Amino acid sequence: MKKIAKILSVLTVIFILFTLAACGQSKNEAPGQGAAPAQEQAGQAKKVKVGLLTGVAGLGDKSFNDLAYEGAKKAENDLAIQLKVVEPPDLASTEGLLRDLAKAGNDLVIGVGFDMKDPMEKVAAEFPNTKFAIVDATVDKPNVASLVFKEHEGSFLVGALAGMMTKTNKIGAIPAMDIPFLNRFTKAYEQGAKYVNPKVEVVIQPIGSDFSAFNDPAKAKSIALSMYSQGVDIIYHAAGGSGAGLFEAAKEAKKYAIGCNSDQDYMAEGLILTSMMKRVDVAVYNTIKKVVDGSFSGGVNVFGVANDGIGVSEMKYTKDLIGAEKIKKLDELKKGIIDGSIKVIDVLETQK
């Protein structure tokens, strides 16, 4: 009997241990599956998934597409997001690609470029539970953050610099196309130049009539060389990847140029006076961060001179050439824009 009691006692202990182990498993977990991963046990959220659709010009434009990519990559490194980057072959494909990114379960889908306004309006309506962001356009949907910039403010400043630096009183601008969004750059550039130098003449020549004009450096170079040969001594571009052609022309003609969107001063050291800085990288990074920390909301987010979303480069290679007096004047003009004493022309506002 003692032997039987001992056996029963051992069996009872084994039964209790087995029961305790089983209680530690999920209701739906079969014995032998093991416990959930440590991060899930700790309640750690899954990685936020972000899909980035560049503009048609794609990566390598050394302009707004590269800036958007840099902001997203910084978020990938800092915030441990899962990033998917897609480059559209043409404008017609953007709607389908935005839809594909939403279907893939991305928490946030970002479209780069004002030309994605209509496709994003449509796709955002189809996926109300997905968060979207668009650069350079306003989409009035509760799940869309519109990241817009006061490019006219920065264009005014670089125009003023051109007006102060010209020796011939003849400067130029090369936009990708003759459309309101890009006229916003060139009109403010002209205003800034004439604000400091009423005698200056501004020559404006667009590259083309469709979005391929953002990626046609050969045409931009040809236009720039023609302008330089006619006495223009400083040219500003608003043409994305085509700007590289302007810089090649500046090197050939040994004349000055002004960059756009990112700090492009290094692309022709000493000949690019400055670049109009448009912090698309900061806007994209901050938007992703809001999704990660749960503070994302739809609506318009404006970046301008006042909040450092727009400005000019540090003039690393041209500071001595430009001189302290002219740089001080630029700082004064910037303060005037911020306090409202200088009213910069905004083509998009006047057309409303």
Side-chain angles (χ1 to χ4, degrees), residues 57 60-64 213-217 220 237 239-245 264 267:
D61 66 348
K62 297 180 174 63
S63 189
F64 56 91
F214 282 101
N215 197 24
D216 193 348
H237 85 87
S242 296
Q264 299 178 325
M267 295 179 72

Side-chain angles (χ1 to χ4, degrees), residues 101-181:
L101 287 170
K103 283 181 179 177
N106 285 291
D107 301 286
L108 173 66
V109 176
I110 304 170
V112 183
F114 62 90
D115 49 325
M116 290 193 200
K117 176 180 171 67
D118 292 341
M120 182 159 285
E121 281 184 340
K122 188 172 181 181
V123 176
E126 294 172 11
F127 295 88
N129 296 321
T130 300
K131 299 173 180 66
F132 292 84
I134 186 167
V135 176
D136 284 346
T138 301
V139 172
D140 187 16
K141 298 288 180 187
N143 56 331
V144 180
S146 300
L147 314 179
V148 296
F149 298 81
K150 294 183 175 182
E151 297 95 349
H152 54 298
E153 293 181 348
S155 296
F156 178 95
L157 292 174
V158 299
L161 179 60
M164 289 187 281
M165 291 294 295
T166 181
K167 303 296 185 192
T168 63
N169 282 334
K170 196 171 182 182
I171 64 175
I174 302 177
M177 295 182 283
D178 179 12
I179 56 175
F181 178 76

